[in-house]
Amino acid sequence: MGTTRLAALAGHFGRDIDRALLKLDALVAKARDDGIDLLVLPDACLGGYISDLRSPDPDELPPALEPGGPELQEIARMAGPMTVCIGYTELSGGLRYNTAACVTGDGIVGTHRKVHQPAGESLAYAAGDGFTAFDTPVGRMGMLIDYDKTFPESARTLALDGARIIAVLSAWPASVTDRAERLAQDRQSRLFDLYDSARAAENQVVLVSSNQTGIQGGLRFLGQAKVVGPGGDVLARTGVKGGLAVADLDVDYEVTRARKVLHHLEERRVDTYRHLPGKGLP
């Protein structure tokens, strides 16, 4: 496919959806003018994230949107020739999901409902039930939503399904139990970066990681958007403030080169891996 321009956003998005759409209109237009092919926006761009991880207030939850509603149609219009990943609260069958959608000017090309739920998030959202790759103008890819990337099986499932790009959309806050004076020194800051590089390197894929910035209720978000190569090397990043991490990459070439001698997916020894119980430890 040749060189692809990949971009991940670190930015703040709150409850006001109309305001978010205005902000995104300018942001996406600028990205389109700059030749961005894949733009990964943070989780909860449309309506914001919950304000308390442990005990979310049921009266203060983010507004929930229909999966094929006018808001996503508007994002698709903005995208035009680009591929854009965006996070929102989805309302489906009377349940709320923390959802990511991947759109182009032709509409929705892929969706993912967050599977892994930290702390009290299950009080606000139902959980998704799987990980599936899908085809896009920038190649076959998959999506994860923040806490999903903590679990190696999530990204591995997408890689085994043919994804060469994994978009990780996050609303990932600093530690709520052990706050550091500076965000860059926060325990969650280190884990956020570690997981990005590890998931890319162990699967030999390109990972494009976005995140919220600023404050929502009692949560302070880390930023640290980045593009990571298939060797786990960070090719571009934003730091803790808002901005766009951009990298130009021949994805197929770099993934193929990374797998030329050591091909992690093919060299697995699944016959030796002990199957652990679904919950708890033996």
Side-chain angles (χ1 to χ4, degrees):
M1 289 184 62
T3 300
T4 302
R5 178 160 283 189
L6 309 166
L9 180 75
H12 176 64
F13 296 87
R15 290 282 184 267
D16 192 328
I17 292 177
D18 290 336
R19 182 177 180 182
L21 288 171
L22 285 173
K23 182 176 181 177
L24 288 168
D25 196 20
L27 191 153
V28 173
K30 177 66 164 56
R32 198 168 58 239
D33 290 344
D34 289 343
I36 302 295
D37 297 301
L38 172 64
L39 174 62
V40 179
L41 301 167
D43 180 32
C45 262
L46 298 176
Y49 189 54
I50 57 178
S51 301
D52 187 328
L53 271 179
R54 290 169 288 193
S55 301
D57 186 340
D59 296 324
E60 294 292 334
L61 296 180
L65 307 176
E66 299 289 339
E71 297 85 3
L72 285 184
Q73 293 178 23
E74 180 65 7
I75 299 299
R77 180 200 64 78
M78 296 176 193
M82 288 197 305
T83 301
V84 177
C85 300
I86 187 167
Y88 71 106
T89 296
E90 174 194 355
L91 181 63
S92 179
L95 298 174
R96 302 163 60 92
Y97 296 92
N98 191 345
T99 297
C102 183
V103 304
T104 70
D106 294 327
I108 297 174
V109 296
T111 60
H112 171 64
R113 290 171 173 168
K114 184 176 178 180
V115 172
H116 300 96
Q117 297 180 307
E121 195 180 83
S122 61
L123 300 175
Y125 301 105
D129 60 6
F131 303 92
T132 305
F134 49 90
D135 294 318
T136 76
V138 297
R140 192 159 178 82
M141 62 179 291
M143 296 185 292
L144 303 176
I145 298 176
D146 51 44
Y147 196 46
D148 283 335
K149 75 178 180 182
T150 302
F151 301 87
E153 297 86 352
S154 306
R156 176 55 52 87
T157 301
L158 293 175
L160 289 171
D161 198 21
R164 292 196 158 203
I165 300 172
I166 296 179
V168 184
L169 296 77
S170 292
W172 193 295
S175 175
V176 297
T177 57
D178 186 18
R179 294 184 183 273
E181 287 189 16
R182 298 177 57 198
L183 278 179
Q185 298 172 339
D186 190 88
R187 173 178 176 272
Q188 289 299 325
S189 176
R190 295 193 297 273
L191 288 174
F192 186 88
D193 284 347
L194 173 65
Y195 294 144
D196 282 339
S197 289
R199 298 297 87 87
E202 66 197 6
N203 294 295
Q204 298 169 302
V205 297
V206 175
L207 188 140
V208 187
S209 175
S210 63
N211 197 17
Q212 289 261 4
T213 61
I215 295 173
Q216 177 83 55
L219 303 179
R220 185 183 182 192
F221 298 107
L222 296 171
Q224 299 177 198
K226 65 180 73 65
V227 180
V228 186
D233 45 323
V234 177
L235 306 176
R237 65 176 298 144
T238 65
V240 299
K241 294 185 178 180
L244 202 62
V246 181
D248 296 314
L249 204 63
D250 186 328
V251 174
D252 285 337
Y253 173 79
E254 293 297 337
V255 170
T256 299
R257 184 174 71 162
R259 296 174 178 178
K260 188 173 184 179
V261 176
L262 300 175
H263 195 310
H264 300 165
L265 300 182
E266 289 186 352
E267 293 159 1
R268 293 174 303 130
R269 285 288 310 280
V270 295
D271 56 308
T272 69
Y273 306 149
R274 187 163 68 95
H275 294 287
L276 294 175
K279 291 283 188 179
L281 296 173

